[in-house]
Amino acid sequence: MPVIALIPTDTKTSRLGLRARLGDRLGDANVLEHTVRRAASIPQVQKVVLIHPPGQDPLSLIDLPRLKIDKPVVTQLDLDCLRDMMTPRWVSSRKWAQPHWRGGLGGASSYDELLPPGPLAEALRVHGGETAIIVRGDWCLFDPSYAGRQLDMLHEDVDAMKMIFTQAPPGLSGIAVSLAILEQLRDGPAGFGDILAYNPVRPHIDPVGRDVNCAIPPEVRDTVERLVYDTPRSIALIESIAERLGDKLGDADAETITQTYRAVTSDNPGMAYRWLPRMVTLELTPRRAVSGPITPHHHMTFDRPDIDTDLALRIVEQLGEAGTGDVIGDVTLMLGGLGDAMLHPEWERIVTAAHEAGVMSVGIETDLLCEQEDLTRLLELPIDLVKVRFNADTAETYQTTMGTDGFKQVLSNTEWLYNERIRRADNGGDARGAMPWLVPSMVKTAETLPELESFFDKWTHYMGHALITPACGGCGLMPEMSPVPMQPPSRGGCLQIARRMSILSDGIVALCDQDWLGRSPIGDARTQSLIDIWRSSEAFGKAHDEQRWGELTICGDCVEWHRP
């Protein structure tokens, strides 16, 4: 059965929108050469096809005689620049789940970064293939042996399987597909995430437990890291791995690469603090228009002021590509925290400044109890994600949990955003490609539990994503509201401290998002740079690694330490 290796290759821009680095050297070859060499080494592959935008010549980056590749390596032009109407939506989704193989907004997986399906299907048809293994040009560490196994599994029954994936971290495994599934996704239009994620309209067994999942070793599967050569963080990690492996890099399989990754990070415990964390929350104001029992505002008063606009602008400048040094490039910024970001008088200016500074993705957290003009601005500003705090699926529960009768207004506002977003979309009114993401959220409590399933299924169907969050108590500042205890029986180190940064509206950088009062500050953004604050916080992470959380002000009695 003819097999083609399809490699979407953009020599100017990475899938997440950063500058492509395909010509960078890693040992004896550049990034694209490593990818092509690995693809050509797959026994079943008969030809390698580089699919590229107009005005680019990816073959100019490849020294085929030196690589001694004995299979044809050709190019295929895509006049649509490797984009379709779904691309902005999938790209935005993946920015919020960079180190995970799946779990992005709308269920987007790392394999959705390989799309759109149209040019892939066309290339496979033009070159006479019936099945393909797909990777991007900057997936220079993907494992050819996994690809071989995936293709063997696919060829056992192409009509039934249609695709074979693995649970490898992004960059370590391609996906094996048939021409039929690419055409199906093209005509949908849809992505791999639509197949791999939960669908309330067509419920199915999780594909992870089915034959379409090619099993891989746990040490690879459980590695939570992005190993794609595209962001400053992942580039530095891959370069460290390459340096450690030396001339063994070209033949290193996924197990060797993940083992080397662990060795590199173990030998450099401060490596996680070299860069700012991928997720930063900036509280523009602690104020909300609601104060029901489900909110912290019902239980205590937050007397800190709205953030000074000049301070907010200085902060977002440090988070974007306009920052300095090697600490930028892949940060996602959520404007929210305890308050409703849209209540800040200059929230629009701050959003615009973050985008202009080069922040990878900007989200906003709101109760959406606002007027029409504010709704319009949500669609006009460079926002990727609007998280709407519903916390109910009926007016009665909203009154009980949020303390107001605003359910009709938030529902009406959400519906208007949904319909207006479709109307404005360039795709002629298809919700699947419209931006920004609208994500209704609900806190799981005894009061909301009866409505949880209907809420999740309804909004997942309409919006593509809905969020159920645990009931958090701010380390004892409000009563425990979770229906059942969620923490594991034995305590471990906090999973959040080294992954997220929370900045309060007075400039205090809190230890975590449960430090509502800044009782255990790690710095002050008014007088310190964010990277200096972050690097100084390594001691807190070390305390958790060494099980000394009881020494920290708010950590000893915390029951939220297990949250991802």
Side-chain angles (χ1 to χ4, degrees):
M1 185 174 291
V3 178
I4 308 294
L6 299 176
I7 306 180
T9 306
D10 189 331
T11 61
K12 294 183 179 179
T13 307
S14 75
R15 180 80 294 181
L16 298 185
L18 301 176
R19 178 174 65 86
R21 304 273 295 273
L22 299 182
D24 286 12
R25 297 289 295 187
L26 285 174
D28 67 343
N30 65 38
V31 171
L32 183 57
E33 287 177 328
H34 277 289
T35 305
V36 170
R37 185 165 60 187
R38 284 174 175 262
S41 73
I42 302 167
Q44 299 93 324
V45 166
Q46 298 173 358
K47 182 188 293 186
V48 177
V49 180
L50 308 178
I51 310 168
H52 64 92
Q56 298 185 17
D57 179 18
L59 281 180
S60 66
L61 294 176
I62 304 172
D63 187 342
L64 290 174
R66 179 173 53 81
L67 296 180
K68 298 180 180 179
I69 292 174
D70 60 358
K71 298 174 182 177
V73 179
V74 300
T75 61
Q76 169 114 354
L77 174 66
D78 177 40
L79 293 175
D80 292 325
C81 301
L82 298 175
R83 297 178 65 86
D84 66 5
M85 73 174 191
M86 293 290 292
T87 301
R89 195 162 168 85
W90 288 126
V91 169
S92 173
S93 172
R94 289 300 303 162
K95 289 176 180 178
W96 295 84
Q98 296 171 48
H100 304 278
W101 79 270
R102 73 169 176 178
L105 299 170
S109 70
S110 57
Y111 304 116
D112 292 292
E113 298 180 33
L114 304 170
L115 303 177
L120 298 173
E122 177 66 10
L124 190 53
R125 185 189 62 79
V126 166
H127 293 277
E130 297 181 30
T131 58
I133 188 76
I134 314 173
V135 295
R136 282 190 69 85
D138 49 12
W139 291 25
C140 55
L141 299 183
F142 88 93
D143 192 327
S145 68
Y146 287 2
R149 289 169 51 205
Q150 290 170 264
L151 289 166
D152 285 343
M153 292 171 64
L154 180 64
H155 293 161
E156 288 177 6
D157 192 342
V158 173
D159 292 335
M161 298 292 192
K162 295 185 179 179
M163 68 178 217
I164 303 291
F165 67 93
T166 78
Q167 296 171 267
L172 287 195
S173 173
I175 187 167
V177 300
S178 66
L179 177 58
I181 194 67
L182 291 176
E183 292 176 336
Q184 178 182 326
L185 296 179
R186 177 198 63 197
D187 298 339
F192 293 116
D194 292 297
I195 300 172
L196 295 172
Y198 169 71
N199 186 333
V201 177
R202 296 184 299 275
H204 57 74
I205 297 173
D206 189 337
V208 165
R210 296 168 54 200
D211 291 341
V212 292
N213 176 19
C214 178
I216 59 176
E219 60 266 26
V220 178
R221 182 195 63 209
D222 297 339
T223 299
V224 181
E225 189 53 79
R226 184 175 183 83
L227 293 169
V228 177
Y229 200 91
D230 59 355
T231 71
R233 188 189 318 266
S234 58
I235 287 172
L237 287 172
I238 291 173
E239 289 177 341
S240 296
I241 291 169
E243 182 179 0
R244 182 71 64 99
L245 289 174
D247 58 9
K248 298 179 182 178
L249 176 66
D251 297 323
D253 58 18
E255 291 94 321
T256 300
I257 289 167
T258 52
Q259 290 168 5
T260 307
Y261 160 74
R262 287 186 170 84
V264 166
T265 53
S266 176
D267 293 345
N268 299 275
M271 199 169 189
Y273 295 89
R274 174 178 172 183
W275 314 276
L276 291 174
R278 286 189 177 99
M279 301 187 70
V280 175
T281 297
L282 176 59
E283 180 186 86
L284 300 189
T285 175
R287 294 181 291 123
R288 292 179 69 176
V290 295
S291 58
I294 207 170
T295 72
H297 302 70
H298 181 82
H299 305 275
M300 58 188 309
T301 300
F302 300 96
D303 56 2
R304 56 180 174 266
D306 294 355
I307 194 168
D308 177 78
T309 301
D310 288 341
L311 173 60
L313 297 180
R314 293 201 306 273
I315 287 172
V316 300
E317 185 78 8
Q318 296 174 67
L319 298 177
E321 288 186 295
T324 59
D326 59 359
V327 297
I328 46 83
D330 61 356
V331 173
T332 56
L333 172 64
M334 177 63 77
L335 301 176
L338 280 181
D340 183 336
M342 294 179 69
L343 294 181
H344 190 282
E346 296 200 70
W347 69 272
E348 299 172 45
R349 182 182 174 192
I350 296 168
V351 167
T352 301
H355 176 73
E356 291 177 348
V359 174
M360 176 172 277
S361 191
V362 180
I364 194 164
E365 195 169 14
T366 175
D367 296 308
L368 209 62
L369 298 170
C370 57
E371 302 303 320
Q372 179 73 53
E373 60 185 33
D374 288 322
L375 294 178
T376 301
R377 293 297 290 145
L378 283 174
L379 299 182
E380 294 172 345
L381 290 166
I383 297 173
D384 285 300
L385 165 63
V386 179
K387 178 184 173 184
V388 185
R389 294 160 165 162
F390 265 86
N391 294 327
D393 203 35
T394 63
E396 293 76 14
T397 300
Y398 191 90
Q399 176 75 55
T400 300
T401 59
M402 302 290 269
T404 75
D405 59 357
F407 184 76
K408 183 178 180 180
Q409 183 182 8
V410 66
L411 182 62
S412 174
N413 283 347
T414 303
E415 290 174 344
W416 184 90
L417 281 174
Y418 175 81
N419 291 321
E420 181 65 10
R421 185 189 66 173
I422 295 173
R423 190 187 70 79
R424 295 184 181 202
D426 293 335
N427 56 32
D430 191 326
R432 289 168 293 181
M435 288 289 290
W437 284 91
L438 304 175
V439 179
S441 70
M442 173 185 280
V443 175
K444 182 179 179 180
T445 68
E447 289 73 23
T448 62
L449 189 61
E451 297 178 1
L452 188 149
E453 184 174 351
S454 62
F455 172 90
F456 185 81
D457 284 357
K458 175 178 69 179
W459 289 118
T460 298
H461 172 68
Y462 283 109
M463 302 301 187
H465 199 90
L467 191 61
I468 305 298
T469 62
C472 300
C475 298
L477 295 180
M478 62 183 287
E480 174 60 50
M481 302 184 72
S482 179
V484 294
M486 298 300 294
Q487 66 271 24
S490 59
R491 179 72 186 263
C494 180
L495 298 177
Q496 292 205 47
I497 284 183
R499 297 180 182 177
R500 303 181 183 182
M501 174 183 280
S502 297
I503 308 171
L504 305 181
S505 62
D506 57 5
I508 294 297
V509 181
L511 179 61
C512 76
D513 64 2
Q514 291 297 290
D515 192 7
W516 297 341
L517 298 179
R519 291 178 289 173
S520 186
I522 63 174
D524 189 336
R526 292 169 295 188
T527 59
Q528 300 171 271
S529 72
L530 295 185
I531 190 59
D532 286 345
I533 293 172
W534 186 244
R535 287 171 176 165
S536 70
S537 71
E538 182 182 349
F540 295 97
K542 185 177 181 181
H544 273 261
D545 291 341
E546 297 175 354
Q547 301 186 9
R548 294 185 290 107
W549 44 77
E551 299 175 8
L552 306 180
T553 304
I554 66 170
C555 297
D557 298 323
C558 177
V559 296
E560 307 298 335
W561 54 268
H562 60 286
R563 290 188 295 136

